[in-house]
Amino acid sequence: MPSAKALRACSSTFKTPRRPFEKERLDAELKLCGEFGLRAKKEVWRAKYMVAKLRKAARTLLTLDEKDPKRLFEGAAVLRQCRRLGVLGDDKLKLDYVLGLTEEDFLQRRLQTQVHKLGLARSIHHARVLIRQRHIRVGGQRVNVPSFIVRVSSQKHIDLARGSSLADGTPGRVKRRRIKAKAAAAA
């Protein structure tokens, strides 16, 4: 019997660049990695791939006639997805604006960036650590994936996890050790 992992449908989530040593692209990717606290350039490539898929869909739909049922139906779906993810505002719900999307728009919607912007973390790197150590929850569900794309509807539900030592839960390992040392010194 094959494992469950072998039965999963696998589709590519990113595309490597055609020219691996193009200086301008390397510098731009490194700047994005630093600005958004990314672990690897693969995370930048993943955001670029998401943008490319949406822009490609919008480009093909824009070639169709404005009253074409395919353009109306699929165009509404693309715009609904962009609005739900928070990369397009309510005032920019047209296929023309989808062509103007950048990877920064998607990197802004990552949980790591949102935690830092809400002030739950001291830095973008601290936000990544908090998420990986399961101190953050989104809508009551603990999330330990920094690249989790936060939807507009769940953005207001980002907070510290209930059992977290940072949210007045049980004290963490270091605090417990200090309390124990104080008790031993007082005795």
Side-chain angles (χ1 to χ4, degrees):
M1 182 79 188
S3 66
K5 191 173 184 178
L7 296 175
R8 271 192 217 135
C10 297
S11 61
S12 62
T13 57
F14 68 96
K15 243 182 148 173
T16 57
R18 284 189 185 145
R19 297 184 176 185
F21 302 110
E22 195 174 20
K23 183 163 177 36
E24 294 81 28
R25 184 190 50 77
L26 288 172
D27 293 342
E29 286 175 352
L30 194 61
K31 185 175 180 282
L32 284 176
C33 284
E35 185 181 341
F36 292 101
L38 307 178
R39 184 180 61 87
K41 290 187 179 177
K42 183 195 278 190
E43 295 181 343
V44 176
W45 299 340
R46 189 182 307 144
K48 282 184 180 180
Y49 190 66
M50 289 168 69
V51 171
K53 284 197 296 188
L54 280 174
R55 291 183 71 216
K56 182 179 180 183
R59 251 193 333 267
T60 55
L61 291 172
L62 281 170
T63 59
L64 300 173
D65 184 46
E66 223 171 286
K67 300 292 183 202
D68 191 332
K70 182 178 179 181
R71 177 175 172 169
L72 292 173
F73 183 74
E74 291 183 14
V78 168
L79 293 173
R80 190 171 48 246
Q81 181 184 7
C82 289
R83 188 179 67 222
R84 191 174 59 210
L85 292 177
V87 293
L88 280 183
D90 289 333
D91 57 330
K92 296 184 176 181
L93 285 180
K94 288 194 170 191
L95 286 174
D96 298 328
Y97 290 110
V98 176
L99 296 178
L101 287 177
T102 61
E103 58 265 16
E104 286 96 346
D105 297 329
F106 277 91
L107 292 173
Q108 289 288 342
R109 300 304 306 166
R110 298 173 84 240
L111 180 61
Q112 181 179 357
T113 311
Q114 295 296 319
V115 166
H116 176 59
K117 283 191 170 182
L118 285 172
L120 295 174
R122 292 187 291 268
S123 70
I124 196 82
H125 305 291
H126 184 230
R128 187 177 191 96
V129 171
L130 289 180
I131 294 165
R132 285 299 299 157
Q133 292 176 353
R134 303 182 72 224
H135 289 293
I136 304 295
R137 67 179 179 171
V138 179
Q141 179 97 26
R142 282 189 184 200
V143 181
N144 67 343
V145 181
S147 64
F148 177 82
I149 300 292
V150 180
R151 293 181 176 177
V152 175
S153 59
S154 59
Q155 185 171 356
K156 56 186 166 279
H157 300 294
I158 300 173
D159 61 342
L160 292 170
R162 204 171 331 136
S164 168
S165 60
L166 301 175
D168 300 330
T170 58
R173 178 181 55 87
V174 175
K175 194 170 185 181
R176 282 197 311 263
R177 190 187 309 151
R178 286 187 183 148
I179 291 170
K180 193 175 178 181
K182 278 186 185 176

